[in-house]
Amino acid sequence: MEKGEHYFHTREQWQFLTEWVNDVMQYKIEETSMDKSYGAVVFRRESEEYQFLLVQHQNDLHWDFPKGHPDQNELPHETALREVLEETNYHILIQKGFEETIGYLLPWGEEKEVTLFLAEAIREGEGTIDKSEIKRVKWLTYGEALEIITYDNSRDVLKAVRDFLK
């Protein structure tokens, strides 16, 4: 391309680039406003039934989905991939079309926002679970998971996943 020449994107390329820039900028703006975490509702299919992967946290022993804070310059889906591997030792594939955000107040009054993706477990990793954060990791059926999840907003996410997978 010579000086003065312009490269024109197709309408689809331009729309994709615009949406991508807006998404990245939105995450950068939101990064400073509140405590944010990203994670995944991890599933597998066993004998025609879905199972879901939950973690029991060391600090207060609550059961929930694997999640955590982003590292510097890490995108939300990258955080979810890393956190699931660190907390469960599973590699995952994030599914398109499902993303739920829940919010709540932390005990000291700070707002927290958690974005959860839907992900299929691909294979177990070669590492170990971070025992300083996670006490146990457990595969459960939908009904079992619904009973053991500690918080209502996480149960609501699991219900949304069930509806999405139908």
Side-chain angles (χ1 to χ4, degrees), residues 8-24:
F8 293 97
H9 294 284
T10 66
R11 181 179 305 262
E12 291 81 18
Q13 289 171 322
W14 185 252
Q15 183 177 358
F16 170 80
L17 288 171
T18 303
E19 289 173 4
W20 180 78
V21 168
N22 287 339
D23 286 346
V24 170

Side-chain angles (χ1 to χ4, degrees), residues 60-81:
D60 62 0
L61 302 180
H62 74 277
W63 285 93
D64 209 346
F65 306 112
K67 64 184 179 302
H69 294 99
D71 288 342
Q72 189 172 2
N73 298 320
E74 192 174 50
L75 294 173
H77 70 279
E78 294 170 332
T79 303
L81 292 169

Side-chain angles (χ1 to χ4, degrees), residues 25-87:
M25 292 308 294
Q26 184 64 34
Y27 286 122
K28 292 296 179 194
I29 290 168
E30 291 175 356
E31 270 179 12
T32 59
S33 61
M34 70 172 60
D35 187 357
K36 288 186 172 282
S37 289
Y38 302 95
V41 179
V42 181
F43 73 93
R44 70 180 179 190
R45 240 187 138 118
E46 290 287 320
S47 304
E48 302 300 315
E49 184 174 40
Y50 288 110
Q51 291 186 337
F52 299 93
L53 190 61
L54 296 180
V55 296
Q56 185 179 32
H57 294 266
Q58 284 285 9
N59 57 357
D60 62 0
L61 302 180
H62 74 277
W63 285 93
D64 209 346
F65 306 112
K67 64 184 179 302
H69 294 99
D71 288 342
Q72 189 172 2
N73 298 320
E74 192 174 50
L75 294 173
H77 70 279
E78 294 170 332
T79 303
L81 292 169
R82 178 182 53 75
E83 287 290 340
V84 169
L85 183 59
E86 287 176 3
E87 293 187 0

